[in-house]
């Protein structure tokens, strides 16, 4: 099976077309930084993505760089730095 995070890549050779899997990571990164200084909605939507990444990569450290208002919203959420 394909790794959990990657891209599909389109190939066309000799009039044949196919789609292949191109993993973004072969091993989980040590650290990930999420940069979004404002926009509460964007930050809230990103939280679901980060939670999925935290489950897939439990050894990865996630750091958020967000605005003060957004940081106050996330203050009581576990595993959010």
């Amino acid at each position: 099976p394909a790794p959990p995070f990657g891209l599909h890549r389109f190939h066309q050779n000799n009039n044949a077309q196919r789609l292949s899997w191109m993993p973004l990571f072969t091993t989980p990164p040590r650290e990930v930084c999420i940069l979004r200084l404002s926009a509460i909605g964007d930050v809230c939507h990103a939280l679901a993505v980060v939670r999925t990444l935290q489950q897939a990569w439990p050894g990865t450290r996630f750091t958020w760089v967000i605005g003060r208002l957004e940081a106050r919203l996330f203050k009581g959420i576990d595993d959010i730095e």
Side-chain angles (χ1 to χ4, degrees):
F5 302 100
L7 300 172
H8 283 98
R9 190 170 74 184
F10 182 75
H11 299 275
Q12 186 168 3
N13 297 9
N14 302 328
N15 297 327
Q17 299 174 350
R18 66 184 177 97
L19 203 57
S20 67
W21 183 256
M22 187 174 75
L24 290 177
F25 300 98
T26 55
T27 60
R30 286 184 311 144
E31 298 179 2
V32 173
C33 180
I34 297 99
L35 177 62
R36 183 64 185 163
L37 298 177
S38 62
I40 293 171
D42 290 349
V43 172
C44 290
H45 288 295
L47 179 58
V49 174
V50 171
R51 287 299 192 207
T52 301
L53 290 171
Q54 286 175 319
Q55 289 176 356
W57 301 333
T60 300
R61 178 179 173 213
F62 291 86
T63 301
W64 291 72
V65 179
I66 55 179
R68 288 183 183 162
L69 176 61
E70 292 79 13
R72 288 199 325 245
L73 290 172
F74 283 18
K75 191 172 186 171
I77 300 176
D78 292 338
D79 299 324
I80 298 292
E81 177 185 345

